Amino acid sequence: MTEVPATSSDQPGTAGRVNLLDFDRQGLRDFFAQLGEKPYRAEQVMKWIYHHLESDFANMTDVGKALRAKLEASCHVGPPKTLVDKAAADGTHKWLLGMDGRNAVEAVYIPEPTRGTLCVSSQIGCALNCQFCSTGAQGFNRNLATAEIIGQMWVAAKHLGNVTHQNRRITNVVMMGMGEPLANFDNVVKAMSLMRDDLGFGLASKRVTLSTAGMVPMIDKLSDVIDVSLAVSLHAANDELRTELVPLNKRYPLAELTAACQRWIARKPRTSITFEYTLMKGVNDQPEHAKQLIRFMRRLPTCKVNLIPFNPFPGTRFERSDAETIRAFQTQLLNAGILTMLRRTRGDDIDAACGQLAGQVNDRTRRSAGIRQRVEQGVTHAS
């Protein structure tokens, strides 16, 4: 683990200046128009920010000196400050990124032979209180601004030496970090448009994935405004159990979620939805649970299942299913013709695996206090 000096957002003199990471392409063009500048100047600066990962206007050499001075006086490029930088034995990388005085979020990079995936957070904590997720146990503080979301990718790209359209260390982005992305809709959509924009990070639509616990109205809205991939955190295929694990299911039960997914597929017939299913010992890993999942998936025949072995964290009452149970569950789905993948656990030695992201949350819900009390009393499991 390495302690890292604060980045540009923590430098003195930025207070009151506009953070250019808050703008998508059209927003940046509009802002430059307000400055009395031609729109193409905004696109020049955008390339410097995202292709060259440059935060110092003085180094933007094809931008006129007068404009550089104007930008220096009124703007800054302010990614989040890096508080902690951790690398796992398997090459997974995690950054703790400061967002304000007492809050920080985590972003994770997962390298594989043919791709590199960055897991990005959308909120400080999470209000949904999913029972098996470390982020949910931390409580909730607020939504992240666009600059704080795309800034996570900017920091990771800078650290990894990513060069847009040339040396892609980050080939995929998943909005699967801390928070429910669809609860922060506008800021998340702007950030994803920067991930996709050729003047931004230039990723194809299939390489940017948003994961939701099932905010049905926002799934429909998302399909209207941006072309990205969709993942749904399912974890149970009957309403009673899913409501226990994912309380949002009480508001949007499985029938409504299924209908929203069918509408998504109808609008984007060449796409698929991935359903994430975290396997927990004795909770949702039995043959009858697999049968329920098979029935659910038959309503969405072009979609697939991603099985995730549960990753423990301090304060949880859940345990990971054993390897034999996991294999049997997957085999049952495969034999039924359901495309089923098993996610390999990565980065668990630095608490960077799926469901383990916690960050630092000044909790407004007081949820985290109860978790801490139970840990201290020794009544729940710790990793």
Side-chain angles (χ1 to χ4, degrees):
M1 181 175 70
T2 306
E3 299 287 342
V4 181
T7 58
S8 60
S9 64
D10 198 42
Q11 292 177 354
T14 59
R17 291 199 282 160
V18 174
N19 190 347
L20 297 188
L21 294 179
D22 265 323
F23 297 115
D24 58 12
R25 189 197 295 214
Q26 187 57 52
L28 197 60
R29 285 166 62 95
D30 292 344
F31 177 71
F32 270 59
Q34 293 172 20
L35 295 177
E37 299 292 336
K38 298 291 186 183
Y40 81 90
R41 292 295 188 188
E43 295 177 356
Q44 279 182 305
V45 171
M46 189 172 171
K47 286 180 70 174
W48 278 105
I49 293 172
Y50 295 105
H51 289 195
H52 302 285
L53 301 172
E54 182 57 68
S55 59
D56 189 342
F57 297 120
N59 294 333
M60 299 181 182
T61 51
D62 63 350
V63 178
K65 288 185 178 179
L67 176 54
R68 279 185 269 166
K70 187 186 294 187
L71 293 174
E72 187 65 39
S74 60
C75 312
H76 71 123
V77 178
K81 57 185 177 182
T82 303
L83 302 178
V84 177
D85 179 343
K86 287 183 178 180
D90 64 9
T92 299
H93 211 100
K94 182 171 79 170
W95 296 271
L96 180 69
L97 301 171
M99 297 298 162
D100 50 44
R102 294 177 59 190
N103 291 299
V105 303
E106 294 181 333
V108 174
Y109 175 71
I110 306 163
E112 297 179 84
T114 59
R115 65 181 178 179
T117 301
L118 184 69
C119 182
V120 174
S121 296
S122 58
Q123 297 179 308
I124 298 173
C126 186
L128 297 190
N129 196 22
C130 295
Q131 294 299 294
F132 52 89
C133 179
S134 180
T135 301
Q138 295 296 302
F140 176 74
N141 185 272
R142 65 172 174 84
N143 288 332
L144 294 179
T146 299
E148 294 170 322
I149 299 169
I150 198 65
Q152 296 169 61
M153 190 171 181
W154 198 97
V155 169
K158 186 88 167 176
H159 177 97
L160 296 167
N162 187 85
V163 180
T164 300
H165 303 309
Q166 295 180 41
N167 177 31
R168 285 196 187 277
R169 299 293 305 282
I170 301 172
T171 64
N172 296 68
V173 177
V174 291
M175 297 298 307
M176 295 182 186
M178 297 173 64
E180 165 55 59
L182 292 184
N184 186 15
F185 188 88
D186 291 341
N187 291 333
V188 165
V189 166
K190 279 204 294 182
M192 290 192 302
S193 73
L194 288 165
M195 296 170 190
R196 294 216 47 227
D197 198 308
D198 281 343
L199 296 182
F201 288 108
L203 297 180
S205 59
K206 66 180 181 179
R207 296 188 178 274
V208 178
T209 301
L210 180 143
S211 176
T212 177
M215 296 189 72
V216 167
M218 308 313 287
I219 292 174
D220 290 322
K221 186 176 179 180
L222 185 70
S223 69
D224 287 336
V225 300
I226 192 168
D227 189 13
V228 294
S229 296
L230 182 68
V232 175
S233 295
L234 190 65
H235 313 299
N238 75 76
D239 277 314
E240 182 179 1
L241 179 56
R242 189 166 191 268
T243 297
E244 177 187 343
L245 297 174
V246 184
L248 184 67
N249 191 74
K250 188 174 183 179
R251 182 181 300 178
Y252 305 115
L254 287 169
E256 293 185 29
L257 178 60
T258 302
C261 292
Q262 289 169 334
R263 290 191 295 272
W264 178 280
I265 294 296
R267 292 176 181 180
K268 303 174 185 290
R270 290 183 294 176
T271 66
S272 176
I273 299 172
T274 299
F275 289 91
E276 297 155 343
Y277 194 101
T278 298
L279 288 162
M280 290 163 274
K281 185 175 182 179
V283 175
N284 65 348
D285 63 350
Q286 298 303 299
E288 61 265 29
H289 298 124
K291 289 179 183 177
Q292 292 166 1
L293 182 54
I294 290 166
R295 286 195 294 271
F296 176 87
M297 294 301 298
R298 282 182 174 151
R299 300 172 198 151
L300 296 156
T302 63
C303 299
K304 55 191 175 184
V305 173
N306 193 359
L307 297 178
I308 306 168
F310 174 70
N311 295 303
F313 57 88
T316 182
R317 62 185 173 88
F318 299 107
E319 298 178 42
R320 180 181 295 182
S321 304
D322 60 66
E324 184 178 348
T325 299
I326 292 172
R327 284 195 298 271
F329 195 98
Q330 182 183 24
T331 298
Q332 193 172 345
L333 267 62
L334 289 171
N335 288 343
I338 308 298
L339 179 58
T340 308
M341 300 164 291
L342 178 61
R343 183 180 297 177
R344 185 160 61 97
T345 297
R346 299 288 299 272
D348 53 346
D349 56 330
I350 57 170
D351 293 332
C354 184
Q356 289 185 322
L357 301 191
Q360 295 175 359
V361 180
N362 184 17
D363 181 21
R364 292 180 174 179
T365 68
R366 299 186 179 178
R367 189 185 308 145
S368 57
I371 295 288
R372 285 195 300 271
Q373 184 178 15
R374 292 200 296 275
V375 172
E376 290 167 0
Q377 293 172 345
V379 297
T380 50
H381 297 288
S383 60

